[in-house]
DNA sequence: ATGAAAGCGCTAACAG
DNA sequence: CTGTTAGCGCTTTCAT
């Protein structure tokens, strides 16, 4: 089969015996076309299988109805769930998505990524990279270079930048307070990697909730989100401090390992060891025993982010400066059988 | 801050005192430019922060260095993992991704999606929608309309279409044979929704492995991939047929519920009930007990798919018809503690 | 080594 | 209601 050059508006115009202008009017649904003409053109469009070039359109209009999305860690479930929400919502609003990955989590690679997105005339950018170390430092010096609206997801809120984040601090407080209600001897924490803003916030929530109850937040071990790091952390905690009878893990995957370690040691859950996780993965309801956890709706985070971004874009079209806001949403506790 | 119109090649040309042509040569790294000129232009490019418009380029070249990706079910982990692999690999090859979601799994919406992708001049398309019901029927009548190479992921192999699929049938055979080695009284199956090609293949693998061993594949219940459906299925099986002492679940999430149900009924695993899952989720190694499962590397599936697609695109550039092939990769069994 | 002219596919602005 | 002219930002001839 030969792949001849794609059919253009000219081909349609010629075959329908009208000017390209008229064809343009028809395919854009303008009212000022005679019914007869419109029908003729429409049928030729069908016949030839004509599809207007989004590129040519974008070139003229200066916009492309495309949103740029920057992700990282495309191996982890969290970011991917967020992406899921982004995809659906963008579709809903009629935007296509141009996806770029920031390899690793480093800051260095930011410029080429932005370049690609901007050169494709994206109408806005959604930044979904977790804040790790100083990988958001470029923001302070560099943000002005970006000629389109940009929304950051799960970032430490900053002045004058639009972002949408889940309140890790409050989530961790919820978890810890819930454990405190059981009046345990002591509550340990298995944190995420402390270079992560999210991990630090959760840790801080645990600490403050402990102090608030007159307890010392003495025992914590740093994990790396993975179940295997959770296993190590749990073993270590239980070995060195047998008095620990409650653990707050910074995500469900690490909490899962805590359960496993406890089973191996014949420790009863929740009687001898209470556990709370974080994330609210669907499967956590079927762990053994079903895991008490703090649910954060990553999917909704993504779709909400798109809505904010689209808002900014619309605002700009209408020449009014949109209010830059840092929105924070609260996670919620789901009590199940690893506490009571 | 005013957002003036973006700087174009003309601005650079004027400021550098050369023609747009020369600028074009410089930014494309052509050799035929005087060193002095090149340097002058380069510095102006920097100074003005000029980024060539990918749209204008694509318009001329007839290609965009963009791959179209069509996904579905952006709430499930599987497809998202595949997407992760796609993202990374595309990046590697210098392609951007244009992402579209097929809402639901229906066939009706295919045309508009393709239209969007084609109108954006994508160089190729990656179809990652699971084959459900007859949602791939459009292929037979419609494929010719698509003017770019297209690769299908996890589809029932067809003549003359390039696809890359994981061998569900073999995977299920592996799982079942492994269970048979324990010489159980009988092995039940919890399947995925049988409208899914993948689910039917896994079921068939279980059936054939049973027959091969002179057993009757009598007991199976249809789930819907979710843990909650798995819970129901497991309860039902165990209630109605207490003699069941081995279960092959069509995915890990349903297998997880089998474990939970067994624990509740004080059934020992694996002594009284052996369990094998499917997918090889990272967490399955930390279920209680660690789950024997069939691992399919969805991430690699995605990256591999991109490589095939890029191959097709390159081939087309060089005017030779690439061989259309249906590639199948094998999953592998990971024995853990729910069997032995 | 550099520039001028033409055009990629489409639409905006103006006629008529 | 419809056609003409111009031009989006860039690259491709073809001169010079």
């Amino acid at each position: 089969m030969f792949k001849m050059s794609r059919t253009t508006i000219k081909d349609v115009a010629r075959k329908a015996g009208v000017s390209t202008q008229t064809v343009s009017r028809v395919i854009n649904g303008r009212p000022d076309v005679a019914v007869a003409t419109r029908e003729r053109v429409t049928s030729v469009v069908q016949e030839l299988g004509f599809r207007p070039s989004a590129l040519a359109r974008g070139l003229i209009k200066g916009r492309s109805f495309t949103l740029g999305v920057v992700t990282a860690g495309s191996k982890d479930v969290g970011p991917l769930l967020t992406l899921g929400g982004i995809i659906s919502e963008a579709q809903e609003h009629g935007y296509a998505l141009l996806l770029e990955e920031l390899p690793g989590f480093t800051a260095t690679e930011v410029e080429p990524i932005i370049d690609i997105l901007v050169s494709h005339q994206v109408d806005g950018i959604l930044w979904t990279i977790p804040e790790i170390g100083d990988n958001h430092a470029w923001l302070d010096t560099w943000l002005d270079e970006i000629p389109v609206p940009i929304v950051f997801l799960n970032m430490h809120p900053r002045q004058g930048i639009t972002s949408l984040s889940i309140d890790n601090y409050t989530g961790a407080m919820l978890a810890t307070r819930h454990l405190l209600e059981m009046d345990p001897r002591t509550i340990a924490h298995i944190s995420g990697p402390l270079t992560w803003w999210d991990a630090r916030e959760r840790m801080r929530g645990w600490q403050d909730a402990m102090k608030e109850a007159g307890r010392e937040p003495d025992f914590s071990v740093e994990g790396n989100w993975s179940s295997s790091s959770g296993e190590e952390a749990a073993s270590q905690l239980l070995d060195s401090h047998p008095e620990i009878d409650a653990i707050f893990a910074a995500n469900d995957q690490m909490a899962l390992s805590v359960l496993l370690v406890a089973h191996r040691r014949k420790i009863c859950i929740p009687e001898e060891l209470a556990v709370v996780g974080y994330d609210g993965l669907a499967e956590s309801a079927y762990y053994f025993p079903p895991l008490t956890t703090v649910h954060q709706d990553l999917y909704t985070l993504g779709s909400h982010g798109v809505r904010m971004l689209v808002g900014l874009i619309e605002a700009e079209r209408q020449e009014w400066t949109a209010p830059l806001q840092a929105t924070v949403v609260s996670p919620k506790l789901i009590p199940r059988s690893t506490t009571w």
Side-chain angles (χ1 to χ4, degrees), chain A residues 7-72:
Chain A
T7 67
T8 76
I9 200 174
K10 271 187 194 159
D11 303 326
V12 178
R14 193 174 324 115
K15 184 138 190 177
V18 296
S19 74
T20 61
Q21 197 36 238
T22 304
V23 177
S24 173
R25 287 188 180 104
V26 171
I27 61 182
N28 286 295
R30 299 283 171 67
D32 50 349
V33 180
V35 184
T37 316
R38 155 166 284 118
E39 279 173 357
R40 191 149 33 89
V41 171
T42 310
S43 79
V44 174
V45 165
Q46 291 294 348
E47 187 183 338
L48 264 42
F50 166 70
R51 309 179 231 254
S53 158
L55 259 48
R57 277 182 170 163
L59 190 54
I60 294 168
K61 304 263 201 175
R63 69 179 301 193
S64 60
F65 269 101
T66 297
L67 303 181
V69 177
V70 186
T71 60

Side-chain angles (χ1 to χ4, degrees), chain A residues 174 178 181 275-276 284-285 290-295 332-340:
Chain A
L174 289 176
H178 179 67
E181 282 169 20
V275 181
V276 176
S284 66
L291 180 69
T292 295
T293 185
V294 178
H295 179 70
K332 72 173 196 281
L333 182 83
I334 305 180
R336 288 200 282 244
S337 313
T338 55
T339 57
W340 41 288

Side-chain angles (χ1 to χ4, degrees), chain A residues 170-179 181-182 247-249 252 255 259 270 274-287 289-298 330-340:
Chain A
T170 301
M173 294 264 291
L174 289 176
T176 310
R177 285 197 190 125
H178 179 67
L179 282 171
E181 282 169 20
M182 302 176 64
I247 293 182
F248 165 45
D252 287 349
L259 302 182
V275 181
V276 176
Y278 203 103
D279 271 353
L281 300 183
E283 293 91 332
S284 66
Y286 296 87
Y287 289 171
L291 180 69
T292 295
T293 185
V294 178
H295 179 70
Q296 49 177 353
D297 193 342
L298 262 13
S330 295
K332 72 173 196 281
L333 182 83
I334 305 180
R336 288 200 282 244
S337 313
T338 55
T339 57
W340 41 288

Side-chain angles (χ1 to χ4, degrees), chain A residues 70 98 100-103 106-120 125 127 138 142:
Chain A
V70 186
L98 197 61
E100 287 291 323
E101 181 180 45
L102 201 57
T106 49
T108 355
E109 305 293 334
V110 170
E111 184 158 357
I113 298 285
I114 300 270
D115 279 352
I116 294 177
L117 294 180
V118 171
S119 73
H120 279 269
I125 295 178
W127 199 264
W138 60 274
W142 226 78

